[in-house]
Amino acid sequence: MSSDEKAKAEQAKGKAKEALGRMAGNERRTAEGRIDQAKGDARQAKEKAKDALKD
């Protein structure tokens, strides 16, 4: 699994957690989902920066 795929998987996991948290009224789960999405965004940005430096 490439880093880009990991980033997208982390973002998807975060979106699912956030949605479940909202449905259940669980603020902690919603926050965890947002954190997972942010981690995925950061991983994706890191990979884009690495690719830009390679070129």
Side-chain angles (χ1 to χ4, degrees):
M1 185 178 234
S2 73
S3 291
D4 189 47
E5 291 170 336
K6 287 180 186 178
K8 288 182 182 185
E10 190 134 32
Q11 289 168 333
K13 180 178 85 170
K15 286 180 183 182
K17 265 189 184 178
E18 185 177 1
L20 287 172
R22 283 186 183 167
M23 286 174 36
N26 186 334
E27 291 183 26
R28 181 176 179 192
R29 174 85 37 130
T30 303
E32 287 175 0
R34 287 189 193 128
I35 290 168
D36 286 344
Q37 287 181 58
K39 285 180 187 177
D41 291 343
R43 185 186 303 257
Q44 201 168 33
K46 180 186 87 173
E47 288 304 312
K48 284 183 182 181
K50 274 177 42 178
D51 289 343
L53 291 175
K54 284 182 182 178
D55 294 339

